[in-house]
Amino acid sequence: MTAVVIAATTSAPILAQSQATQEGAPAPVIVKIDSGVLRGESRDGVNVFRGVPYAKPPIGVLRWKQPQQPDSWPGERAAIAHEPPCPQPVNIDGKSANAGGVVGPQSEDCLYLSIYAPAKANRAPVVLWLHGGGAFLGSGQLGSYDGTSNARRGVITVSINYRLGALANFSHPALSRTAGAQDALGNFALTDAVAALQWVKHNVTAFGGDPNNVTIAGQSAGGAMVVNLLSIPSARGLYHKAIIQSGALLRPGQSMADAESRGVEAVKALGLPADVTVEQLRAVSAQTFVSSEATRRGVATPIDHRFRTTTTGEALNAGTEIDVPVMVGSNSGEAGFDAARALARLTGDTGASAWLYHFAYVPGFRRDEWQQGAIHSAELMFTFDSIDTSSWAASASGKADAADRAVAERVQSCWIAFYKMDPKAKALRCAGDVTWPAHTEATDATLQFKETARIVKSKTIPDGPSTANARS
């Protein structure tokens, strides 16, 4: 069987398609990128590559360092299966998923990504996906984030794992003293995201993608990362649009001194001495960090005046943010719509426009459980049109029906329209025949998804309940 061959070029990739040995079975697909040759699989017009390294393993002396370019490899590297997700608390039964949807082994060697691309892509728009999970749970390889449907609609999805908890958001005087003058401090999940964006810039053409049409998108903690990336200097020029799903957080900045103080208190709980060295910190097992209540969530992200120089709130008020079109919204069964509206007003006040949405659809197979509305994360299987691979649907007693699938098609069409749109656009056409205008104080426009999609005034939408049976 001849493999599908994709060769990296400066324009469109060269494709030599093959036929699978039997109907529905995947065919090999080969691509050459900066680090070497990858062998993935092609099925039904979609090329998929899993477990692709975008940085060296952040282990040993690279723990609490910004990502380094991955090493090259000889021959063909298999990219068929996912690599383990980043360390996080998991259920000890080894069968049930944690609150971030993860089950089974993890590894500190976890900076990998997956690519879903149309088999005949030619300068296709790209979305870099940042998963949710409270910044200490989750993985980019969950079924809700399956990019197959995006690919069938002409969009490349790149979904990444990034460091979590204290392995991502951690500061300590011992680390600061031994860091190089240009080393990032305390913001390692965000440095992972920037490294992934750099990987996309250098390699996505080989998969048929357009490095000049990249959207960063995330939900919950991933959405909060997108908010932060709007003011990260090294991210400027690496993306061109942004989507924030249930993550519209504009938090005040944390000083390095406060972050270091929190780090000192956190490691005391691990029984480490007050004068702990960086070598001793790096000798602590990842499992120890994620199992301790004092360290599992990290100690938040500081303003280190190196990698992260300001907060996005400060940048928006000063007009110095990375000015790109922003889509932002939340779900009816969670708090957060007021914050989403406020962020839409700030990001869309001048320059690039903002789009505001409200997801209020509850599928029949979850109606008994989601009695306060669409809970946190409920929109994911609709924005990706991934009902068949999402655990929300797989664990339901009932099954998705034609109405659910119609809603998924409508919702995803609006995300696809945003990925594909001209950044200068002031309105989107999606969900069949809906014109979605940009949100401003004057328009107050919000696209609300229920059984149908319609434009409503944001002032008619309540913020939502403060608590819900949520999984981010």
Side-chain angles (χ1 to χ4, degrees):
M1 175 170 54
T2 303
V4 180
V5 178
I6 305 180
T9 69
T10 57
S11 56
I14 300 170
L15 297 177
Q17 297 287 357
S18 68
Q19 299 296 320
T21 54
Q22 59 185 46
E23 185 177 355
V29 57
I30 296 171
V31 62
K32 187 178 187 307
I33 62 172
D34 283 356
S35 302
V37 176
L38 293 169
R39 177 179 286 266
E41 61 182 19
S42 185
R43 185 198 300 265
D44 299 331
V46 178
N47 294 339
V48 183
F49 299 82
R50 305 177 182 90
V52 179
Y54 67 90
K56 287 183 180 179
I59 59 177
V61 297
L62 295 183
R63 181 190 276 184
W64 300 308
K65 292 281 191 180
Q66 61 261 50
Q68 307 297 305
Q69 288 189 353
D71 292 327
S72 299
W73 55 81
E76 294 178 0
R77 180 188 178 103
I80 305 299
H82 295 297
E83 298 289 345
C86 295
Q88 59 194 279
V90 293
N91 299 337
I92 61 173
D93 62 11
K95 299 178 181 178
S96 59
N98 65 14
V102 170
V103 60
Q106 318 99 57
S107 172
E108 203 169 348
D109 175 6
C110 62
L111 298 186
Y112 296 89
L113 54 79
S114 300
I115 305 107
Y116 297 81
K120 297 183 179 180
N122 186 356
R123 302 199 70 79
V126 181
V127 54
L128 181 83
W129 177 253
L130 302 172
H131 67 81
F136 76 111
L137 299 170
S139 170
Q141 61 209 44
L142 302 184
S144 290
Y145 317 142
D146 187 293
T148 299
S149 186
N150 280 352
R152 288 174 178 158
R153 293 188 175 204
V155 172
I156 294 176
T157 302
V158 179
S159 183
I160 74 167
N161 289 340
Y162 55 84
R163 281 173 281 185
L164 301 169
L167 300 175
N169 305 314
F170 182 70
S171 301
H172 192 279
L175 294 177
S176 300
R177 283 194 302 268
T178 57
Q182 303 301 315
D183 286 348
L185 301 173
N187 292 281
F188 304 108
L190 285 170
T191 67
D192 294 345
V194 172
L197 283 166
Q198 292 168 336
W199 185 95
V200 167
K201 179 179 180 179
H202 294 134
N203 291 294
V204 80
T205 303
F207 300 89
D210 183 356
N212 296 311
N213 185 1
V214 176
T215 300
I216 51 169
Q219 183 265 347
S220 192
M225 289 176 67
V226 172
V227 173
N228 286 334
L229 286 165
L230 293 174
S231 59
I232 299 296
S234 57
R236 189 177 294 273
L238 297 177
Y239 65 89
H240 312 92
K241 303 167 205 170
I243 296 179
I244 300 153
Q245 299 175 212
S246 303
L249 301 177
L250 290 174
R251 290 174 172 161
Q254 178 180 213
S255 70
M256 278 305 304
D258 286 346
E260 288 175 354
S261 177
R262 293 181 64 187
V264 168
E265 292 303 311
V267 298
K268 281 182 182 178
L270 303 182
L272 296 171
D275 59 350
V276 64
T277 66
V278 66
E279 290 80 13
Q280 288 173 317
L281 284 171
R282 289 189 172 122
V284 176
S285 72
Q287 183 178 155
T288 299
F289 279 109
V290 302
S291 64
S292 170
E293 186 63 38
T295 54
R296 65 176 54 176
R297 293 176 180 268
V299 296
T301 55
I303 304 300
D304 67 348
H305 298 290
R306 299 177 178 191
F307 172 80
R308 190 171 182 227
T309 59
T310 187
T311 69
T312 293
E314 291 168 342
L316 286 166
N317 288 325
T320 59
E321 80 279 8
I322 299 174
D323 187 25
V324 297
V326 172
M327 182 203 295
V328 59
S330 70
N331 299 346
S332 60
E334 63 178 354
F337 184 73
D338 288 351
R341 175 172 47 202
L343 185 58
R345 294 278 170 89
L346 285 169
T347 56
D349 59 350
T350 60
S353 296
W355 279 261
L356 182 63
Y357 76 87
H358 185 243
F359 184 81
Y361 179 73
V362 176
F365 60 83
R366 286 291 181 184
R367 201 158 291 147
D368 290 342
E369 298 136 290
W370 299 354
Q371 295 186 9
Q372 295 187 80
I375 72 169
H376 191 59
S377 307
E379 87 286 5
L380 291 169
M381 60 181 163
F382 295 90
T383 61
F384 279 88
D385 195 4
S386 57
I387 288 174
D388 291 330
T389 54
S390 171
S391 62
W392 281 133
S395 61
S397 57
K399 297 297 180 185
D401 58 21
D404 302 327
R405 296 183 185 280
V407 169
E409 183 175 354
R410 282 193 290 273
V411 173
Q412 191 201 27
S413 75
C414 295
W415 266 244
I416 296 292
F418 187 84
Y419 300 144
K420 293 182 177 181
M421 78 173 189
D422 184 326
K424 297 183 178 66
K426 299 298 180 183
L428 296 178
R429 189 80 171 173
C430 62
D433 58 356
V434 176
T435 297
W436 184 7
H439 180 86
T440 64
E441 275 197 80
T443 67
D444 197 34
T446 307
L447 182 55
Q448 187 174 62
F449 297 100
K450 291 186 175 179
E451 285 74 13
T452 59
R454 64 190 184 108
I455 303 299
V456 301
K457 299 294 185 181
S458 77
K459 64 185 178 183
T460 66
I461 300 173
D463 189 50
S466 59
T467 59
N469 178 24
R471 184 173 74 204
S472 58

